[in-house]
Amino acid sequence: MNKGALAKEEIVSVAADVIRSKGYQSTSINDILVSSGIGKGKFFHHFKTKHDLGIAVVDRYIDTWKTRMIEEILQGDFPAKTRILHMLEETLGSFQNSNVKKGCPFGNLAIEMSEHDASFRERIASFFHEWAMALSETLKDANLIPEDRAYDYAEHIISSIEGAILIAKVKQTSKPIENTVSILKNTLLHQRSISHE
Amino acid sequence: MNKGALAKEEIVSVAADVIRSKGYQSTSINDILVSSGIGKGKFFHHFKTKHDLGIAVVDRYIDTWKTRMIEEILQGDFPAKTRILHMLEETLGSFQNSNVKKGCPFGNLAIEMSEHDASFRERIASFFHEWAMALSETLKDANLIPEDRAYDYAEHIISSIEGAILIAKVKQTSKPIENTVSILKNTLLHQRSISHE
Amino acid sequence: MNKGALAKEEIVSVAADVIRSKGYQSTSINDILVSSGIGKGKFFHHFKTKHDLGIAVVDRYIDTWKTRMIEEILQGDFPAKTRILHMLEETLGSFQNSNVKKGCPFGNLAIEMSEHDASFRERIASFFHEWAMALSETLKDANLIPEDRAYDYAEHIISSIEGAILIAKVKQTSKPIENTVSILKNTLLHQRSISHE
Amino acid sequence: MNKGALAKEEIVSVAADVIRSKGYQSTSINDILVSSGIGKGKFFHHFKTKHDLGIAVVDRYIDTWKTRMIEEILQGDFPAKTRILHMLEETLGSFQNSNVKKGCPFGNLAIEMSEHDASFRERIASFFHEWAMALSETLKDANLIPEDRAYDYAEHIISSIEGAILIAKVKQTSKPIENTVSILKNTLLHQRSISHE
DNA sequence: TATGAATGAGCATTCATTCAT
DNA sequence: CATGAATGAATGCTCATTCAT
C-alpha cells in the first residue's frame, strides 16, 4: 500500500547517515545505492536529482531536531531552567561515541553547502533561527537574560555548541562538548542574571 | 633562480583562496590551473598529488594564523587582558564582508576533511591545540581563570568563535560573530574571575 | 465502450505533434506521457513499444495526408490543372507560421529514420510513391506532361516541395516554399507542354 | 609536432561519417570512440562537449562543400552555363551508391537540428545562403534568369536538389536525383530564358 | 485495463593522474 | 622544469521497458 512511500523514507534515512559521515558532495549516488541495496532506477524514480535527495535529507534532519530539541524539550512542560539543562544534556548525549566523529548534521552541511547552494543554506539558517527563537523564549521564561538580549544570547549558546561539536570532530573526542556544556551551565545557572555582572 | 619556489608559493596562495571558498573536494585541479594560469605539467611537477597541495594549503593557513594570532597577538608584548581583546578584535576584523560567506579556513576543512583524511585532521587539531595553549597561558597571565581550568576555558572561547563563524556563514551576516565577541568580552573582562561565580 | 480505442487515438494525436517538433528519437515516452497526461501503464497497454507508437504516428500522418492531398484534391472533381493548383496552394497553406519551423512530418522522419528503421522508411517511401502516382495521373489528365515522363515529373514536383520545406525550416521563413510553389506554377501552367521546349 | 592537431582533425573526420549516417543525436560519443579507436579522455580533451564536436563537424562539411561547390565549380573559370552543368553533375556524382542512403549532410542536420539548436541551424542556413548567392551570380552570368529573379531561382534549384536527395534517401535509389538533375538541366539550358515563357 | 514503482543499460561529462616530448 | 595530450574510472542522470498490484 504505502510501500512506495516507505521505500522513499528508507532511502532518505540511509542517505542521511551516509551524508552525515561523508558530506553531501562526496557522497555519490552509488554510495547510497550500495548502502541501501536499491538500483538506480528506483532512486531516480523517487528523487529527480541528487539535489532533491539532499534537500529531503536536510528536511528530515530539521523535522527530527525540531521535534526533539524545540518542541519536546524547549517548549516542554518543565520549568524553564530545567528545559535549558535538558537541552544541554540532550546535546551532550547526541554527540557521544561514533557521533563525535560525524559531527553535527546541520553544522556539517552549513559549512559544506552555504556557498554552493542557497536552498541548503536557507533551510539550515532558518532552522538555527527557529532554535534560537525557542531558546530565547526559554531564557526569558527563566528570567536569566533581559528581554532585549535574549535572542543574541540564545544564538551565542547555539553557536558555542556548534563550535564545540566542530572542535570535538577534529579532535575526535567529546571532551570539548562536555567542556562547553559545563561552562554554559555554570554561566547560565549559577548567576542570577548574566548581564548584571 | 628561485622562480620555481616562488611559483609554487603562488600556486598554494591561489589554491588557498579557491579552497576556502569552494572546499577542498569540490575544488578541481583545473579550477586551480585556471585561477593561477599554469599548466598541468607545472602543477604536477610541484605537487605529486592533489592531496599534496591540500596539505600545503593547510600548512600555509597554519603558518599565517600562528604568526598572526599566536605569536604576534597572544604572545605579544601587551598586557594579558589587552592581548585577549586584540585576539577577539582580530577575529572580528577577519570575518567581515566577503569573508563571512567564506567562513574559517580551519573550521571549513575541519568539518569537510576530518572523517576523510587523517593528515588534514591532525594538522588542524594540532593548530587548534596550539591556539588553545597560547590562549590558556594568556588567560592565566591575566589572572582571569584558575590554572586548572585555563585550557578548557581557552578551548571553549575558541570553539565559541568557530561556532559563531559557522552561524555567520550560514546566515550570511557577521552579526553572530560580533555578538559572540561582545559576550566573550563581557564575560571575560567585567568579572574578577569567572569561576568564582 | 470504445473509450480505450479513443484514448489510443488521442495518444497518437498528441505524439504526432510532439514527434513532428522534436523528432522521433529525441521524443521520450515521458514527453508523450506529460503532454497527454496519461501514465506509463496506459501507454504500454496500448503500444507494446515506442516503435509501435512511432509506426502508429506515421500511419496517422499518411492517413491524413492521403485523404487531404490525394483523395480530396488530386483525385477530386475539379479540372486537372485546377487540382494541381489546389495541391500547391494546400502545400503553401500547410506550412505557414509555426509549421514552417516544424517542417514536413514525412520529410522529417524520412531523413531521421530511413537509415535506422526499415518499417518507417518503407511506409514513407510508399506514401511518396502514392502521392507521385496520383500527381502523375493528374499531370497526364491535364495534358501537361507526356505519359512516359509524367511519373518522373510528378516525383520532381514533390521532391521540390520537400526541399523547399526543408530550406524553409532551416531559414525559419516560408519564403522558399512560396518561391518554389510560384516557380512550379509558372513552369507547369504557363507552358503548353513542358517537354516541348 | 602537430600530431595533436592532426588527431583532432581525424576525430572530426570519423565523426562526420558517423553523424552523416546515424544523425547527430543518435550518435553517441561511444560510437565515435569505437569508430576512431580513441579513449574518452582524448575526446574530451579536444572537445569540451558533444555539441562542440557537432559544430566542428558542421564547419568541416561547410568548408569542404564551399571549396568544392562554390569556389571550385560555381566561381571557377568555365563559362557560366558550363559551371552550372558541373554543379549539377557534381551533385549527381556525390550521391551515388552508399551515399544515397546517407543523404545530404546539410539536409540531414537541417531537419534534425533546426528546432533543437540555433548554432547548427544558423550555420546551415548561412551555408545554403552562400550557395544560393554563388549560384545566383552564375545564373546572371549565363543570362538565364533576369537579375531580380536570380536569387529566388537559385534557391529553388538548391531546394530541388535537397528534396531529391531526401526522396532518394527514403527510396534508397539515386533515381530521384538523376531525375531532378535532368529536369533542371532541361529547364535551364534548353530555353533562352526561363521567365520569357 | 490501468497504475506507477522498479530495472539496469546507456549517456555525456569530470577528474586526478600519467606520460611522451 | 614545463607542456598539454591521453587515460579510464567514476559521476549524475535518462530511458525504454517490466512487473506487482
Side-chain angles (χ1 to χ4, degrees):
Chain A
M1 231 148 286
N2 60 353
K3 216 172 65 173
L6 263 167
K8 185 169 177 174
E9 268 316 297
E10 278 162 32
I11 300 174
V12 176
S13 164
V14 168
D17 260 15
V18 181
I19 287 174
R20 183 169 170 196
S21 277
K22 305 190 61 166
Y24 170 75
Q25 312 200 72
S26 292
T27 299
S28 75
I29 285 172
N30 213 52
D31 289 337
I32 288 157
L33 302 187
V34 169
S35 296
S36 58
I38 61 166
K40 268 198 179 152
K42 180 166 185 180
F43 179 88
F44 280 103
H45 178 70
H46 289 299
F47 305 96
K48 233 170 47 201
T49 60
K50 181 187 176 187
H51 187 258
D52 263 24
L53 170 74
I55 294 302
V57 164
V58 174
D59 286 344
R60 190 193 141 95
Y61 287 146
I62 290 174
D63 264 14
T64 307
W65 286 75
K66 232 151 107 175
T67 306
R68 206 196 300 168
M69 272 293 181
I70 299 179
E71 288 161 24
E72 291 177 7
I73 297 181
L74 287 176
Q75 296 166 348
D77 293 330
F78 289 93
K81 270 197 185 182
T82 312
R83 286 182 261 145
I84 295 171
L85 284 176
H86 282 177
M87 182 194 84
L88 294 173
E89 273 147 24
E90 173 70 16
T91 300
L92 210 51
S94 294
F95 295 94
Q96 299 292 351
N97 312 321
S98 72
N99 285 338
V100 186
K101 295 192 187 178
K102 293 184 189 165
C104 173
F106 300 102
N108 292 355
L109 288 176
I111 280 190
E112 187 191 355
M113 300 305 288
S114 286
E115 284 227 294
H116 279 82
D117 189 291
S119 45
F120 279 80
R121 192 187 63 70
E122 283 159 10
R123 276 173 166 80
I124 297 166
S126 138
F127 167 72
F128 279 129
H129 175 66
E130 288 187 58
W131 187 4
M133 286 296 285
L135 178 54
S136 166
E137 289 305 310
T138 316
L139 286 169
K140 285 189 271 183
D141 282 4
N143 258 322
L144 284 166
I145 309 282
E147 285 226 359
D148 61 332
R149 301 287 322 281
Y151 184 85
D152 284 353
Y153 212 87
E155 187 167 84
H156 167 69
I157 291 172
I158 289 166
S159 70
S160 293
I161 291 170
E162 285 301 316
I165 299 167
L166 186 159
I167 300 293
K169 179 174 183 161
V170 77
K171 289 202 164 174
Q172 299 195 331
T173 159
S174 59
K175 182 105 209 305
I177 306 174
E178 291 154 21
N179 195 24
T180 275
V181 161
S182 133
I183 288 168
L184 287 175
K185 271 194 200 167
N186 269 314
T187 313
L188 281 167
L189 305 179
H190 297 174
Q191 301 179 8
R192 265 164 327 203
S193 168
I194 276 148
S195 66
H196 290 180
E197 309 299 316
Chain B
M1 226 157 289
N2 59 352
K3 216 171 62 174
L6 260 167
K8 183 169 178 173
E9 269 316 297
E10 279 163 32
I11 300 173
V12 176
S13 163
V14 167
D17 259 15
V18 180
I19 288 173
R20 184 169 169 197
S21 277
K22 306 188 59 169
Y24 170 75
Q25 309 199 75
S26 293
T27 299
S28 74
I29 287 175
N30 211 52
D31 287 338
I32 287 155
L33 263 31
V34 168
S35 296
S36 61
I38 61 166
K40 273 204 171 137
K42 186 167 183 178
F43 179 89
F44 280 100
H45 173 72
H46 288 304
F47 307 96
K48 230 171 51 200
T49 61
K50 181 188 177 185
H51 187 257
D52 266 20
L53 170 73
I55 294 301
V57 164
V58 175
D59 286 345
R60 189 194 141 94
Y61 286 146
I62 291 174
D63 264 16
T64 307
W65 287 77
K66 230 151 110 174
T67 306
R68 208 197 298 171
M69 272 294 183
I70 300 179
E71 288 162 25
E72 289 177 9
I73 295 180
L74 287 177
Q75 297 166 348
D77 295 330
F78 289 94
K81 271 197 183 182
T82 312
R83 285 183 264 144
I84 294 171
L85 284 176
H86 281 179
M87 184 196 81
L88 293 173
E89 273 147 24
E90 174 69 17
T91 299
L92 209 50
S94 294
F95 295 93
Q96 299 293 349
N97 310 320
S98 71
N99 285 337
V100 186
K101 297 192 185 177
K102 292 183 189 166
C104 173
F106 299 102
N108 292 354
L109 288 175
I111 280 190
E112 188 190 355
M113 301 304 291
S114 287
E115 284 228 292
H116 278 83
D117 189 290
S119 45
F120 278 80
R121 192 188 62 71
E122 282 158 9
R123 276 172 167 81
I124 297 166
S126 137
F127 166 72
F128 279 129
H129 175 66
E130 288 188 56
W131 187 6
M133 286 296 285
L135 177 55
S136 166
E137 289 307 310
T138 316
L139 286 169
K140 284 189 270 184
D141 283 3
N143 258 320
L144 283 167
I145 309 281
E147 284 225 0
D148 61 333
R149 302 284 324 279
Y151 183 85
D152 285 353
Y153 213 87
E155 189 167 82
H156 167 69
I157 290 171
I158 288 165
S159 69
S160 294
I161 290 170
E162 286 300 318
I165 297 168
L166 185 158
I167 300 292
K169 181 174 181 159
V170 78
K171 289 203 165 173
Q172 298 194 332
T173 159
S174 58
K175 182 108 208 305
I177 307 174
E178 290 155 22
N179 194 25
T180 275
V181 161
S182 136
I183 288 170
L184 288 175
K185 269 192 199 169
N186 269 314
T187 313
L188 281 167
L189 306 180
H190 297 174
Q191 301 178 10
R192 266 166 327 212
S193 169
I194 276 151
S195 66
H196 289 181
E197 309 299 318
Chain C
M1 224 160 288
N2 59 353
K3 215 173 65 175
L6 260 170
K8 184 169 178 174
E9 268 316 296
E10 279 162 33
I11 300 173
V12 175
S13 164
V14 167
D17 259 16
V18 181
I19 287 174
R20 182 167 173 200
S21 277
K22 305 188 62 168
Y24 170 74
Q25 309 199 75
S26 292
T27 298
S28 73
I29 286 176
N30 212 52
D31 289 337
I32 287 155
L33 264 32
V34 168
S35 295
S36 60
I38 61 162
K40 274 205 170 134
K42 187 167 185 180
F43 180 89
F44 280 99
H45 173 70
H46 287 303
F47 306 97
K48 228 170 55 198
T49 60
K50 181 188 176 185
H51 187 257
D52 267 19
L53 170 73
I55 293 302
V57 164
V58 175
D59 287 344
R60 189 195 143 94
Y61 286 146
I62 291 175
D63 264 16
T64 307
W65 287 76
K66 231 151 108 176
T67 306
R68 207 195 300 169
M69 274 292 183
I70 300 180
E71 289 161 23
E72 289 177 7
I73 295 179
L74 287 177
Q75 297 166 348
D77 294 331
F78 289 94
K81 271 198 185 182
T82 311
R83 285 183 261 145
I84 296 171
L85 284 176
H86 282 180
M87 183 195 84
L88 293 173
E89 273 146 25
E90 173 70 16
T91 300
L92 209 52
S94 293
F95 294 94
Q96 300 293 351
N97 310 322
S98 72
N99 284 337
V100 186
K101 296 193 186 176
K102 292 182 189 165
C104 173
F106 301 102
N108 292 355
L109 289 176
I111 281 191
E112 188 191 355
M113 301 304 290
S114 286
E115 282 229 293
H116 277 83
D117 189 290
S119 46
F120 279 79
R121 192 187 62 70
E122 283 158 10
R123 276 172 167 79
I124 296 166
S126 139
F127 167 72
F128 279 129
H129 175 66
E130 289 188 56
W131 187 6
M133 286 297 285
L135 178 54
S136 168
E137 290 307 313
T138 316
L139 287 169
K140 285 189 271 183
D141 283 3
N143 258 320
L144 285 167
I145 310 280
E147 284 226 0
D148 62 330
R149 303 285 322 281
Y151 184 85
D152 284 354
Y153 212 88
E155 188 167 84
H156 167 68
I157 291 173
I158 289 166
S159 69
S160 292
I161 290 170
E162 285 302 317
I165 298 168
L166 185 159
I167 300 292
K169 180 175 181 160
V170 78
K171 287 201 166 176
Q172 298 195 332
T173 159
S174 57
K175 183 106 206 308
I177 307 175
E178 291 155 21
N179 196 25
T180 275
V181 162
S182 134
I183 288 170
L184 288 175
K185 271 192 201 169
N186 270 312
T187 314
L188 281 168
L189 306 179
H190 296 173
Q191 302 178 10
R192 263 165 329 206
S193 169
I194 277 150
S195 66
H196 290 179
E197 311 298 317
Chain D
M1 229 150 286
N2 59 350
K3 218 175 57 175
L6 263 167
K8 186 172 177 170
E9 269 317 298
E10 278 162 32
I11 299 173
V12 176
S13 164
V14 168
D17 261 14
V18 181
I19 287 173
R20 183 167 169 199
S21 278
K22 307 190 58 170
Y24 170 75
Q25 310 200 74
S26 292
T27 298
S28 77
I29 285 172
N30 213 51
D31 288 337
I32 288 157
L33 302 186
V34 168
S35 294
S36 59
I38 61 167
K40 271 202 175 144
K42 182 168 181 181
F43 179 89
F44 281 102
H45 178 68
H46 290 300
F47 306 96
K48 234 170 47 201
T49 59
K50 181 188 176 184
H51 187 258
D52 262 23
L53 170 74
I55 293 301
V57 164
V58 174
D59 286 345
R60 190 195 141 94
Y61 287 146
I62 290 175
D63 263 15
T64 306
W65 287 76
K66 233 153 110 174
T67 306
R68 208 196 295 168
M69 274 292 181
I70 298 179
E71 288 162 23
E72 288 178 8
I73 295 179
L74 287 176
Q75 297 166 348
D77 293 331
F78 289 95
K81 272 197 183 181
T82 313
R83 284 183 262 145
I84 295 171
L85 285 176
H86 283 180
M87 185 195 84
L88 293 172
E89 274 148 22
E90 174 70 17
T91 299
L92 209 51
S94 293
F95 294 95
Q96 299 292 350
N97 311 320
S98 72
N99 283 337
V100 186
K101 296 193 187 176
K102 291 184 190 164
C104 173
F106 299 102
N108 292 355
L109 289 175
I111 280 190
E112 186 190 357
M113 300 304 290
S114 286
E115 284 228 296
H116 279 82
D117 188 292
S119 45
F120 279 79
R121 192 186 63 70
E122 283 159 10
R123 276 171 167 81
I124 296 166
S126 137
F127 166 73
F128 280 129
H129 175 67
E130 288 188 56
W131 187 6
M133 285 296 285
L135 178 54
S136 166
E137 290 304 311
T138 316
L139 288 170
K140 285 188 270 182
D141 283 3
N143 257 321
L144 285 166
I145 308 281
E147 285 225 0
D148 60 331
R149 303 286 322 279
Y151 184 84
D152 284 354
Y153 213 87
E155 189 168 83
H156 168 68
I157 291 172
I158 289 166
S159 69
S160 293
I161 292 171
E162 286 301 317
I165 299 168
L166 185 158
I167 300 293
K169 180 173 179 159
V170 77
K171 289 202 165 175
Q172 297 196 333
T173 159
S174 58
K175 182 108 207 305
I177 307 175
E178 289 154 20
N179 195 26
T180 275
V181 161
S182 137
I183 288 170
L184 288 175
K185 268 193 202 167
N186 271 312
T187 313
L188 280 168
L189 306 179
H190 297 171
Q191 302 178 7
R192 266 167 325 211
S193 170
I194 276 150
S195 66
H196 289 180
E197 311 298 319

mmCIF file of all heavy atoms in Angstrom, chain B residues 168-186:
data_model
loop_
_atom_site.group_PDB
_atom_site.id
_atom_site.type_symbol
_atom_site.label_atom_id
_atom_site.label_comp_id
_atom_site.label_asym_id
_atom_site.label_seq_id
_atom_site.Cartn_x
_atom_site.Cartn_y
_atom_site.Cartn_z
ATOM 1 N N ALA B 168 27.535 32.536 11.274
ATOM 2 C CA ALA B 168 27.618 33.723 10.415
ATOM 3 C C ALA B 168 27.638 33.312 8.943
ATOM 4 O O ALA B 168 27.022 33.954 8.093
ATOM 5 C CB ALA B 168 28.867 34.528 10.753
ATOM 6 N N LYS B 169 28.350 32.245 8.656
ATOM 7 C CA LYS B 169 28.439 31.778 7.261
ATOM 8 C C LYS B 169 27.072 31.367 6.725
ATOM 9 O O LYS B 169 26.699 31.724 5.609
ATOM 10 C CB LYS B 169 29.400 30.582 7.204
ATOM 11 C CG LYS B 169 29.586 30.017 5.805
ATOM 12 C CD LYS B 169 30.672 28.925 5.792
ATOM 13 C CE LYS B 169 30.860 28.402 4.374
ATOM 14 N NZ LYS B 169 32.159 27.750 4.173
ATOM 15 N N VAL B 170 26.351 30.642 7.537
ATOM 16 C CA VAL B 170 25.063 30.147 7.044
ATOM 17 C C VAL B 170 24.013 31.264 7.022
ATOM 18 O O VAL B 170 23.086 31.236 6.229
ATOM 19 C CB VAL B 170 24.593 28.913 7.835
ATOM 20 C CG1 VAL B 170 24.014 29.302 9.161
ATOM 21 C CG2 VAL B 170 23.586 28.098 7.037
ATOM 22 N N LYS B 171 24.200 32.269 7.887
ATOM 23 C CA LYS B 171 23.252 33.394 7.885
ATOM 24 C C LYS B 171 23.696 34.521 6.964
ATOM 25 O O LYS B 171 22.963 35.483 6.743
ATOM 26 C CB LYS B 171 23.070 33.926 9.312
ATOM 27 C CG LYS B 171 22.286 33.003 10.229
ATOM 28 C CD LYS B 171 21.671 33.796 11.373
ATOM 29 C CE LYS B 171 20.596 32.989 12.080
ATOM 30 N NZ LYS B 171 20.120 33.696 13.299
ATOM 31 N N GLN B 172 24.936 34.420 6.507
ATOM 32 C CA GLN B 172 25.497 35.451 5.618
ATOM 33 C C GLN B 172 25.481 36.843 6.236
ATOM 34 O O GLN B 172 25.189 37.838 5.566
ATOM 35 C CB GLN B 172 24.775 35.445 4.269
ATOM 36 C CG GLN B 172 24.944 34.131 3.534
ATOM 37 C CD GLN B 172 24.542 34.215 2.077
ATOM 38 O OE1 GLN B 172 23.705 35.017 1.701
ATOM 39 N NE2 GLN B 172 25.171 33.404 1.244
ATOM 40 N N THR B 173 25.784 36.885 7.523
ATOM 41 C CA THR B 173 25.950 38.176 8.197
ATOM 42 C C THR B 173 26.963 38.012 9.321
ATOM 43 O O THR B 173 27.016 36.950 9.953
ATOM 44 C CB THR B 173 24.624 38.687 8.793
ATOM 45 O OG1 THR B 173 24.931 39.635 9.820
ATOM 46 C CG2 THR B 173 23.822 37.567 9.428
ATOM 47 N N SER B 174 27.726 39.035 9.579
ATOM 48 C CA SER B 174 28.751 38.906 10.622
ATOM 49 C C SER B 174 28.191 39.117 12.027
ATOM 50 O O SER B 174 28.912 39.020 13.019
ATOM 51 C CB SER B 174 29.890 39.889 10.348
ATOM 52 O OG SER B 174 29.380 41.199 10.309
ATOM 53 N N LYS B 175 26.904 39.390 12.080
ATOM 54 C CA LYS B 175 26.261 39.644 13.380
ATOM 55 C C LYS B 175 26.591 38.586 14.438
ATOM 56 O O LYS B 175 26.967 38.940 15.569
ATOM 57 C CB LYS B 175 24.749 39.767 13.167
ATOM 58 C CG LYS B 175 23.921 40.077 14.383
ATOM 59 C CD LYS B 175 23.367 41.481 14.385
ATOM 60 C CE LYS B 175 23.164 41.963 15.809
ATOM 61 N NZ LYS B 175 22.303 41.058 16.617
ATOM 62 N N PRO B 176 26.461 37.303 14.149
ATOM 63 C CA PRO B 176 26.743 36.297 15.177
ATOM 64 C C PRO B 176 28.174 36.378 15.710
ATOM 65 O O PRO B 176 28.413 36.086 16.888
ATOM 66 C CB PRO B 176 26.515 34.969 14.446
ATOM 67 C CG PRO B 176 25.565 35.292 13.357
ATOM 68 C CD PRO B 176 25.929 36.677 12.918
ATOM 69 N N ILE B 177 29.106 36.806 14.865
ATOM 70 C CA ILE B 177 30.487 36.929 15.344
ATOM 71 C C ILE B 177 30.601 38.124 16.286
ATOM 72 O O ILE B 177 31.191 38.025 17.371
ATOM 73 C CB ILE B 177 31.470 37.059 14.158
ATOM 74 C CG1 ILE B 177 31.252 35.908 13.161
ATOM 75 C CG2 ILE B 177 32.918 37.058 14.646
ATOM 76 C CD1 ILE B 177 32.078 36.026 11.894
ATOM 77 N N GLU B 178 30.033 39.240 15.880
ATOM 78 C CA GLU B 178 30.053 40.427 16.744
ATOM 79 C C GLU B 178 29.426 40.100 18.088
ATOM 80 O O GLU B 178 29.951 40.479 19.152
ATOM 81 C CB GLU B 178 29.259 41.567 16.080
ATOM 82 C CG GLU B 178 29.954 42.137 14.850
ATOM 83 C CD GLU B 178 28.971 42.774 13.872
ATOM 84 O OE1 GLU B 178 27.859 43.145 14.307
ATOM 85 O OE2 GLU B 178 29.309 42.861 12.671
ATOM 86 N N ASN B 179 28.337 39.420 18.016
ATOM 87 C CA ASN B 179 27.579 39.016 19.185
ATOM 88 C C ASN B 179 28.421 38.166 20.135
ATOM 89 O O ASN B 179 28.525 38.443 21.339
ATOM 90 C CB ASN B 179 26.388 38.200 18.639
ATOM 91 C CG ASN B 179 25.329 37.985 19.656
ATOM 92 O OD1 ASN B 179 25.215 38.782 20.600
ATOM 93 N ND2 ASN B 179 24.554 36.922 19.499
ATOM 94 N N THR B 180 29.032 37.160 19.590
ATOM 95 C CA THR B 180 29.837 36.264 20.426
ATOM 96 C C THR B 180 31.057 36.988 20.983
ATOM 97 O O THR B 180 31.404 36.840 22.166
ATOM 98 C CB THR B 180 30.243 35.008 19.628
ATOM 99 O OG1 THR B 180 29.178 34.064 19.707
ATOM 100 C CG2 THR B 180 31.510 34.377 20.189
ATOM 101 N N VAL B 181 31.703 37.789 20.156
ATOM 102 C CA VAL B 181 32.866 38.533 20.635
ATOM 103 C C VAL B 181 32.445 39.448 21.773
ATOM 104 O O VAL B 181 33.124 39.550 22.815
ATOM 105 C CB VAL B 181 33.511 39.326 19.476
ATOM 106 C CG1 VAL B 181 34.404 40.436 20.011
ATOM 107 C CG2 VAL B 181 34.304 38.382 18.580
ATOM 108 N N SER B 182 31.308 40.087 21.618
ATOM 109 C CA SER B 182 30.853 41.002 22.658
ATOM 110 C C SER B 182 30.531 40.258 23.959
ATOM 111 O O SER B 182 30.886 40.690 25.057
ATOM 112 C CB SER B 182 29.653 41.790 22.119
ATOM 113 O OG SER B 182 28.640 41.881 23.067
ATOM 114 N N ILE B 183 29.894 39.122 23.841
ATOM 115 C CA ILE B 183 29.568 38.347 25.046
ATOM 116 C C ILE B 183 30.838 37.812 25.705
ATOM 117 O O ILE B 183 30.990 37.860 26.932
ATOM 118 C CB ILE B 183 28.588 37.196 24.700
ATOM 119 C CG1 ILE B 183 27.207 37.783 24.411
ATOM 120 C CG2 ILE B 183 28.515 36.182 25.832
ATOM 121 C CD1 ILE B 183 26.216 36.782 23.819
ATOM 122 N N LEU B 184 31.780 37.351 24.865
ATOM 123 C CA LEU B 184 33.045 36.860 25.444
ATOM 124 C C LEU B 184 33.777 37.967 26.168
ATOM 125 O O LEU B 184 34.298 37.781 27.284
ATOM 126 C CB LEU B 184 33.934 36.261 24.337
ATOM 127 C CG LEU B 184 33.481 34.923 23.752
ATOM 128 C CD1 LEU B 184 34.379 34.522 22.582
ATOM 129 C CD2 LEU B 184 33.473 33.825 24.820
ATOM 130 N N LYS B 185 33.815 39.123 25.540
ATOM 131 C CA LYS B 185 34.464 40.269 26.187
ATOM 132 C C LYS B 185 33.849 40.552 27.549
ATOM 133 O O LYS B 185 34.530 40.695 28.560
ATOM 134 C CB LYS B 185 34.291 41.517 25.322
ATOM 135 C CG LYS B 185 35.390 41.755 24.315
ATOM 136 C CD LYS B 185 35.224 43.162 23.754
ATOM 137 C CE LYS B 185 35.961 43.344 22.451
ATOM 138 N NZ LYS B 185 35.565 44.611 21.804
ATOM 139 N N ASN B 186 32.531 40.650 27.600
ATOM 140 C CA ASN B 186 31.820 40.919 28.846
ATOM 141 C C ASN B 186 32.122 39.873 29.892
ATOM 142 O O ASN B 186 32.501 40.186 31.027
ATOM 143 C CB ASN B 186 30.305 40.907 28.592
ATOM 144 C CG ASN B 186 29.802 42.283 28.254
ATOM 145 O OD1 ASN B 186 30.163 43.252 28.937
ATOM 146 N ND2 ASN B 186 29.005 42.379 27.216
#
